[in-house]
Amino acid sequence: MIHQLVQKIQKLQAPVVVGLDPMLSYVPEAEKKKAFAEYGETLEGAAQAIWQFNKEIIDHIWDLIPAVKPQIAMYEQFGIPGLVVYKKTIDYCKSKGLIVIGDVKRGDIGSTSAAYAVGHLGKAAVGSQKIPVFDEDFATVNPYLGSDGIQPFLDVCREEDKGVFILVKTSNPSSGEFQDQLVNGRPLYELVGEKVAQWGESCMDGAYSNVGCVVGATYPKMGSILRSIMPKSYILVPGYGAQGGKAEDLKPYFNKDGLGAIVNSSRGIIAAYKQQAYAAYGPQHFGEASRAAVLDMIADINRIF
Amino acid sequence: MIHQLVQKIQKLQAPVVVGLDPMLSYVPEAEKKKAFAEYGETLEGAAQAIWQFNKEIIDHIWDLIPAVKPQIAMYEQFGIPGLVVYKKTIDYCKSKGLIVIGDVKRGDIGSTSAAYAVGHLGKAAVGSQKIPVFDEDFATVNPYLGSDGIQPFLDVCREEDKGVFILVKTSNPSSGEFQDQLVNGRPLYELVGEKVAQWGESCMDGAYSNVGCVVGATYPKMGSILRSIMPKSYILVPGYGAQGGKAEDLKPYFNKDGLGAIVNSSRGIIAAYKQQAYAAYGPQHFGEASRAAVLDMIADINRIF
């Protein structure tokens, strides 16, 4: 799967992923009104508003980017109707040829992690049937529980040609509380990075491994060290744009071949029409605003090569 | 919410929670056949089999225990139909007066963690409405991302009188890979434990805090240290029974008042009929086997006081 992602990145010259993390406050009033008129101010109404919002954005950007990253929490907060739209969004993106990274940050032990791996990347065994479930192409995974929690994901990655991005160093201000703690003089996230490299060895797919990692754009020096610890792992880089990461900070995340990293922007793209730079589009043309923001982001990131 | 849990534990003399982690392989053949006959070998069929299995078990044990802990992964693996049954299970347990601990192990940053907190413990704001979503009473939370990821859960706990159990030291064999790493001579899980105690200060509810923690039964010495680091936090203890934890190992997890811990068993209860000790019930009486196993577990744990 990582090989497919690399090929799409190269073809489009766009090491970029758009985070589909819709908040109701991003959805223009007119769209919300329409959804609430049909379904009421209910979980169904909220889910419908988000679905229409997503669809409009995807229709405007699908040809520019290799991948999207829906954040399941933003759907899960609206319960079953929200999760129905999460699945609909995955399927719609795949129908447009986009690679889908499910930002689910799951992680548990043994059979429980196996259940998550099946639910997101694999196939559920029901009687004599094997049935794909949410069927993302990649999923993000939390490593706090150690190898037991990761192994079932690796098994599914191998069986189904899927991939994972394992949290190593997250982009948030308090990520250092535990991740930066020094263990024999080295921060914990480096140990996690070493494990990622090790886990990835059994999941190679071309020049890179189907086991990637997440390292926030807000810590470029750490990015450089982690790049060298995990040379075969793609780095999914959140934190560009709205969270403060700048293009020049991103260079250390890439390998010399110009590959090895894919940069995420969520709010900066999907709520572009709310920013001064794209305000002229107005809420009625929010999809076009998102397209303009994607084009700007790709140009901005390509400046560093 | 923790106060309600403590009262139920005292009333029933049962510091015990039953994990509702159904695997299809636990469901007796006859029940599976019935569900597949109605819904086919589909995700709906699997979900129906699990729902009937859960209901039968709940009907046989609800009066003996204060709480249940459904493991969402086991439902999520069957997609939307599975998650519908997760919600149905929560509602059914609550209708029986059981306290529900959603074993979701969610954790992300800022607005994303807030979305999880809303989805599981709070109310979604849709237009002028505030709508409960999955509406568990407690949720388990992963701390790897630090305070940013925890704070939104604490806010919801205060607003809605709900609670969390934060992973400190998990029960699985590889939990030590990261959790046991020494930071200034002390294992990381102690640092996490100190944070749990600190986070819990703003969420007191009677003698205990709505911020509890998870510490596996498989590490009693660590349990003792963590007990003293987090005197006001309830410890949710997985790993009893099937995972190898024994009653005598559990004493360090309790405070001198006989409170402070609640012990989970999943497979040991819900798949009791598959064990030699309860095989006489046969698959057709699996609910009664589970009841017998709960009674034995309560007696076993009460031996230590």
Side-chain angles (χ1 to χ4, degrees):
Chain A
M1 187 48 73
I2 194 71
H3 187 58
Q4 278 186 54
L5 181 59
V6 170
Q7 283 183 312
K8 290 206 68 162
I9 289 171
Q10 288 181 311
K11 192 176 151 207
L12 293 164
Q13 294 278 304
V16 159
V17 53
V18 171
L20 298 173
D21 309 7
M23 310 242 287
L24 264 190
S25 61
Y26 298 169
V27 182
E29 284 308 318
E31 308 294 316
K32 262 188 286 200
K33 228 170 147 180
K34 231 182 292 171
F36 294 166
E38 199 174 347
Y39 294 92
E41 291 183 343
T42 59
L43 298 179
E44 286 77 10
Q48 173 68 8
I50 278 175
W51 163 241
Q52 292 298 340
F53 179 71
N54 276 357
K55 194 170 168 300
E56 182 75 6
I57 289 173
I58 297 159
D59 285 343
H60 278 87
I61 65 173
W62 66 271
D63 58 319
L64 303 176
I65 53 171
V68 289
K69 181 174 75 62
Q71 167 52 262
I72 198 171
M74 295 305 171
Y75 305 83
E76 199 166 312
Q77 70 178 323
F78 299 118
I80 302 296
L83 287 158
V84 168
V85 165
Y86 177 72
K87 175 61 175 151
K88 242 167 124 170
T89 299
I90 292 168
D91 291 345
Y92 190 67
C93 290
K94 288 173 99 174
S95 80
K96 294 280 191 186
L98 289 159
I99 288 174
V100 177
I101 303 169
D103 198 352
V104 300
K105 295 191 180 69
R106 301 305 193 241
D108 208 293
I109 64 175
S111 58
T112 311
S113 249
Y116 280 132
V118 159
H120 291 282
L121 303 176
K123 296 192 179 79
V126 183
S128 59
Q129 304 298 309
K130 289 269 204 173
I131 309 168
V133 191
F134 284 106
D135 207 20
E136 300 97 324
D137 299 308
F138 289 88
T140 56
V141 178
N142 186 311
Y144 188 65
L145 293 92
S147 297
D148 301 340
I150 302 296
Q151 211 58 55
F153 280 94
L154 305 186
D155 295 342
V156 171
C157 285
R158 275 189 298 266
E159 282 159 28
E160 306 282 347
D161 186 25
K162 298 276 181 122
V164 289
F165 291 99
I166 295 173
L167 304 187
V168 171
K169 171 70 186 165
T170 56
S171 58
N172 55 309
S174 74
S175 70
E177 272 175 23
F178 305 127
Q179 298 166 24
D180 292 5
Q181 292 293 345
L182 295 182
V183 177
N184 297 323
R186 296 173 64 209
L188 179 68
Y189 62 76
E190 289 190 19
L191 265 74
V192 179
E194 280 171 3
K195 278 281 174 191
V196 166
Q198 197 180 311
W199 291 324
E201 281 167 15
S202 67
C203 298
M204 291 301 293
D205 177 34
Y208 286 92
S209 171
N210 275 326
V211 180
C213 61
V214 176
V215 183
T218 38
Y219 305 101
K221 273 186 197 155
M222 301 173 186
S224 164
I225 294 165
L226 289 167
R227 176 70 289 166
S228 67
I229 290 177
M230 300 171 284
K232 304 286 184 197
S233 286
Y234 243 76
I235 306 181
L236 172 62
V237 190
Y240 168 86
Q243 283 181 59
K246 290 180 182 51
E248 50 266 40
D249 297 336
L250 296 171
K251 207 159 183 181
Y253 296 77
F254 288 89
N255 279 318
K256 284 183 186 141
D257 56 4
L259 294 170
I262 185 163
V263 182
N264 179 75
S265 178
S266 301
R267 216 180 332 161
I269 304 296
I270 66 172
Y273 78 99
K274 290 191 162 228
Q275 299 159 39
Q276 219 176 351
Y278 307 103
Y281 288 96
Q284 67 280 31
H285 299 294
F286 66 94
E288 290 162 53
S290 292
R291 184 175 179 88
V294 168
L295 288 167
D296 288 347
M297 179 181 175
I298 293 172
D300 187 40
I301 287 172
N302 279 327
R303 277 193 307 115
I304 66 176
F305 297 116
Chain B
M1 187 50 74
I2 195 70
H3 186 60
Q4 278 185 53
L5 182 59
V6 169
Q7 284 183 311
K8 289 205 69 160
I9 289 171
Q10 288 181 310
K11 192 176 151 207
L12 293 163
Q13 294 277 306
V16 159
V17 52
V18 171
L20 298 173
D21 310 7
M23 310 243 286
L24 264 189
S25 60
Y26 298 168
V27 182
E29 283 308 317
E31 308 294 317
K32 264 190 285 203
K33 228 172 149 178
K34 231 183 290 170
F36 294 166
E38 197 174 348
Y39 294 92
E41 291 183 344
T42 59
L43 299 180
E44 287 77 11
Q48 173 68 8
I50 279 174
W51 163 241
Q52 293 297 341
F53 179 71
N54 277 357
K55 194 170 167 300
E56 183 76 7
I57 289 173
I58 297 160
D59 285 344
H60 280 87
I61 65 173
W62 66 272
D63 57 318
L64 302 176
I65 53 170
V68 290
K69 181 173 75 63
Q71 166 52 261
I72 197 170
M74 295 305 172
Y75 305 83
E76 199 165 314
Q77 71 177 324
F78 298 118
I80 302 294
L83 287 159
V84 167
V85 165
Y86 177 70
K87 175 61 175 151
K88 241 166 122 169
T89 299
I90 292 168
D91 291 346
Y92 190 67
C93 289
K94 287 173 97 172
S95 80
K96 294 280 191 185
L98 289 159
I99 288 174
V100 177
I101 301 169
D103 198 352
V104 299
K105 295 192 180 67
R106 300 304 193 241
D108 209 292
I109 64 176
S111 57
T112 310
S113 248
Y116 280 132
V118 159
H120 290 283
L121 303 176
K123 296 192 180 79
V126 182
S128 58
Q129 304 298 308
K130 290 269 205 173
I131 309 167
V133 191
F134 283 105
D135 207 20
E136 300 96 324
D137 299 309
F138 289 88
T140 56
V141 177
N142 186 310
Y144 187 65
L145 292 92
S147 296
D148 301 340
I150 301 296
Q151 211 58 55
F153 280 95
L154 305 186
D155 294 342
V156 171
C157 285
R158 275 189 299 264
E159 281 160 29
E160 306 283 347
D161 186 26
K162 299 277 180 118
V164 289
F165 290 99
I166 296 171
L167 305 186
V168 170
K169 172 70 185 163
T170 56
S171 58
N172 55 309
S174 74
S175 70
E177 271 176 22
F178 306 127
Q179 298 166 25
D180 292 5
Q181 291 294 343
L182 295 183
V183 176
N184 297 323
R186 296 172 63 210
L188 180 68
Y189 61 75
E190 289 190 19
L191 265 73
V192 179
E194 281 170 5
K195 278 280 174 192
V196 166
Q198 197 180 311
W199 291 324
E201 282 166 16
S202 66
C203 298
M204 291 301 293
D205 177 35
Y208 285 92
S209 171
N210 276 325
V211 180
C213 60
V214 175
V215 182
T218 37
Y219 305 101
K221 273 187 197 154
M222 301 174 187
S224 163
I225 294 165
L226 288 167
R227 175 70 288 166
S228 67
I229 289 177
M230 300 171 284
K232 304 286 182 196
S233 287
Y234 243 76
I235 304 180
L236 172 63
V237 190
Y240 168 86
Q243 285 182 56
K246 290 178 181 53
E248 49 267 40
D249 297 336
L250 295 170
K251 204 158 185 180
Y253 296 77
F254 288 88
N255 280 319
K256 283 181 187 143
D257 56 5
L259 294 170
I262 183 162
V263 182
N264 179 76
S265 178
S266 302
R267 215 180 333 162
I269 304 295
I270 67 173
Y273 78 98
K274 290 190 160 228
Q275 298 159 40
Q276 218 175 352
Y278 308 102
Y281 288 95
Q284 67 279 31
H285 298 294
F286 66 94
E288 289 162 53
S290 292
R291 184 175 179 89
V294 168
L295 288 167
D296 288 347
M297 179 181 175
I298 293 172
D300 187 38
I301 287 172
N302 279 326
R303 276 192 308 115
I304 65 176
F305 298 116

